[in-house]
Amino acid sequence: MDITAKFLGGSGAVTGSKYLLDIGEFEFLLDCGLFQGPRELRQRNWDDFPMSVKELDAVVLSHAHLDHIGYLPKLVKQGFDGPIYCTEATAELAKILLLDSGKLQEEEAEYARKKGYSKHEKPEPLYTMEDAEAVFPLFVPQKFEQSFSIHPKITVTFYHAGHILGAAIVKFRIEGDHQTKKLVFSGDLGRYHDPILHPPTRIPQADIIWIESTYGDRKAPSSKPEDELGRAIRDIFDRDGIAIIPSFAVGRTQLLMYHLYQLMEKGKIPKVPIFVDSPMAIDATRLYLDFRQDHRLSAMLEEDDKHAFKHPQLRYFQKQEQSMSLNEYRGKAIIISASGMATGGRVLHHLFHHIPEEKNGVIMVGFQAEGTRGRRILDGEPTIRIYGYDVPVKAKIYQIEGLSAHADQEELMDWAEGFCEKPKMAFVVHGEKESAEALSKKLHEELGWNSIIPQYLESFVLFEGI
Ligand SMILES: [Zn+2]
């Protein structure tokens, strides 16, 4: 038997994670991510799929971020109807994120139609909410650390990766005619000391490794994000202001809720209302309660009648009217709302109403990509365009680093050192050029690994005649 791998995404770039594995009689995809970011990358989502979708037998997912699952509706639209294996929490999170992605695609197409800037007569969305829903019946959820088979010769096991709820490191055990081989895919690895998520599991042995390199060239700041958050909030409250935190709904929001609860319980910030104003964040938080065994807070959630996700200060705002009512709010409060880079969503009207007042504060807690409103706020621009108006930025802007869901270079190396033997090959994926190169070099120099940065659409024969 031969085993080959083809890199359909997530190589030389952070997004579009998609790897095709072929054992001859069975072909399956590892992750099925959407390309995001610059236009030339996003264009790849529209290209013909590099193989006949009908020949694809299965999909295995590492976790529910869109750059790992966001192409699924398009794949299904093109005729894929095989099983999609993932952890239980990933299946549930994926439903939330895919529906939202379908909605965004529809909105973007509609916007392009109105503005008339599309080359097409009638701009079509990449996929719709209905296309997203068509993916759901194909999910085959699995438990962590319980092996299952996707083909008589292939066994799969999911291990905790940290990163986000449900995120897995994926191990494949492939039985050849003469030999058995182990392939390990890191997925996206989280932090070793994340207060909510389990640390990434160390795997002792693998013949082939895929290792992510998002922060392959970076060291996480040593400051404690909770202390920084506390300082920023106290500063805002000294002025009787409102703290607005633009935040990704999944993962980041729950981490913020955890830190804010800790700060209040320790008496480091006053007990004021915390408004979680994002339906998607509310749905995601519910999953943290449903899948308690998948994170570190299970004891806290079980034993205490109040906890990070349920206490008197916490107000979940599902309805639009509730959200709008905050425009008139005065006095100390914390508003957590999406989107994380202020590119859209409810956070826009909070910024619109509160950013022109000096006493208020905006706390940036995540990466702000070039060209986003969040980035312009962080860069200190005096006005910011919202709803067609140039709104003066008078509120104080704070930036908290260290809340990232990604392992830094040291942690990636830690995980790599968990392998007792050198793999035959290690593919360094899911990183921009500099970070992938930095990690690949370190793996080669310090661990003597045969590390490779695969190119987009490059193929490798992993084993021949095994
Ligand atoms: Zn991720």
Side-chain angles (χ1 to χ4, degrees), residues 63 65 67-68 163 188 406:
H63 67 287
H65 274 148
D67 56 331
H68 296 256
H163 188 54
D188 285 3
H406 279 282

Side-chain angles (χ1 to χ4, degrees), residues 299-334:
M300 183 200 213
L301 302 191
E302 239 121 84
E303 286 158 20
D304 304 338
D305 49 349
K306 61 174 194 147
H307 51 68
F309 304 141
K310 189 183 84 180
H311 57 88
Q313 282 69 42
L314 204 53
R315 321 272 158 87
Y316 290 108
F317 276 10
Q318 188 91 43
K319 296 201 186 90
Q320 185 71 19
E321 306 90 82
Q322 293 175 307
S323 177
M324 299 307 274
S325 73
L326 292 174
N327 296 338
E328 308 306 320
Y329 195 94
R330 292 295 178 271
K332 298 181 182 108
I334 299 166

Side-chain angles (χ1 to χ4, degrees), residues 107-384:
E107 284 169 0
E108 268 168 32
E110 178 59 21
Y111 187 74
R113 190 188 61 78
K114 270 197 199 145
K115 292 275 173 184
Y117 65 46
S118 168
K119 291 190 292 265
H120 309 281
E121 228 10 56
K122 190 172 175 296
E124 289 291 323
L126 184 66
Y127 53 80
T128 61
M129 288 174 83
E130 206 180 323
D131 296 327
E133 272 174 359
V135 175
F136 302 173
L138 302 180
F139 285 126
V140 186
Q142 301 290 332
K143 295 210 177 304
F144 276 101
E145 303 197 3
Q146 286 188 12
S147 303
F148 57 95
S149 103
I150 60 169
H151 175 267
K153 292 178 181 168
I154 308 172
T155 312
V156 181
T157 319
F158 291 128
Y159 298 93
H160 289 290
H163 188 54
I164 62 164
L165 187 72
I169 295 163
V170 191
K171 186 173 89 181
F172 299 94
R173 198 171 173 277
I174 303 179
E175 271 175 59
D177 304 319
H178 317 285
Q179 293 172 42
T180 299
K181 296 293 177 191
K182 285 182 192 152
L183 279 52
V184 171
F185 174 57
S186 73
D188 285 3
L189 297 174
R191 312 294 315 271
Y192 274 88
H193 300 288
D194 189 289
I196 299 185
L197 296 162
H198 294 300
T201 312
R202 285 170 156 231
I203 312 284
Q205 209 259 325
D207 296 289
I208 307 284
I209 294 170
W210 275 251
I211 182 166
E212 68 118 330
S213 59
T214 316
Y215 285 171
D217 60 347
R218 262 166 282 179
K219 189 169 166 18
S222 52
S223 58
K224 289 206 178 97
E226 190 172 293
D227 294 344
E228 277 184 57
L229 187 63
R231 266 194 294 277
I233 287 172
R234 284 194 300 273
D235 193 42
I236 296 166
F237 287 177
D238 282 347
R239 300 189 299 267
D240 257 337
I242 296 174
I244 298 170
I245 316 184
S247 169
F248 297 107
V250 176
R252 190 64 47 92
T253 291
Q254 290 74 29
L255 189 57
L256 279 168
M257 284 158 75
Y258 173 85
H259 286 308
L260 291 171
Y261 178 67
Q262 295 296 327
L263 287 166
M264 284 183 180
E265 286 300 294
K266 291 174 191 164
K268 291 187 173 175
I269 58 170
K271 291 190 172 173
V272 303
I274 302 173
F275 299 101
V276 178
D277 184 30
S278 151
M280 197 155 106
I282 296 169
D283 290 343
T285 306
R286 199 168 294 130
L287 295 182
Y288 280 73
L289 299 168
D290 290 347
F291 296 101
R292 295 170 185 214
Q293 68 286 5
D294 291 353
H295 56 74
R296 299 194 203 219
L297 301 186
S298 56
M300 183 200 213
L301 302 191
E302 239 121 84
E303 286 158 20
D304 304 338
D305 49 349
K306 61 174 194 147
H307 51 68
F309 304 141
K310 189 183 84 180
H311 57 88
Q313 282 69 42
L314 204 53
R315 321 272 158 87
Y316 290 108
F317 276 10
Q318 188 91 43
K319 296 201 186 90
Q320 185 71 19
E321 306 90 82
Q322 293 175 307
S323 177
M324 299 307 274
S325 73
L326 292 174
N327 296 338
E328 308 306 320
Y329 195 94
R330 292 295 178 271
K332 298 181 182 108
I334 299 166
I335 302 174
I336 307 175
S337 191
S339 73
M341 299 189 206
T343 47
R346 291 181 178 181
V347 78
L348 287 189
H349 75 87
H350 299 309
L351 292 172
F352 185 82
H353 285 91
H354 298 300
I355 214 171
E357 282 196 76
E358 268 172 41
K359 61 179 183 172
N360 297 328
V362 181
I363 308 178
M364 305 305 250
V365 292
F367 173 71
Q368 303 296 324
E370 205 76 55
T372 60
R373 208 177 266 112
R375 180 59 162 268
R376 288 196 287 275
I377 292 174
L378 205 54
D379 287 346
E381 295 205 5
T383 62
I384 209 82

Side-chain angles (χ1 to χ4, degrees), residues 57-78:
D57 297 294
V59 176
V60 180
L61 303 175
S62 64
H63 67 287
H65 274 148
L66 282 182
D67 56 331
H68 296 256
I69 65 160
Y71 189 81
L72 282 171
K74 181 88 191 287
L75 193 76
V76 172
K77 208 168 136 179
Q78 291 169 89

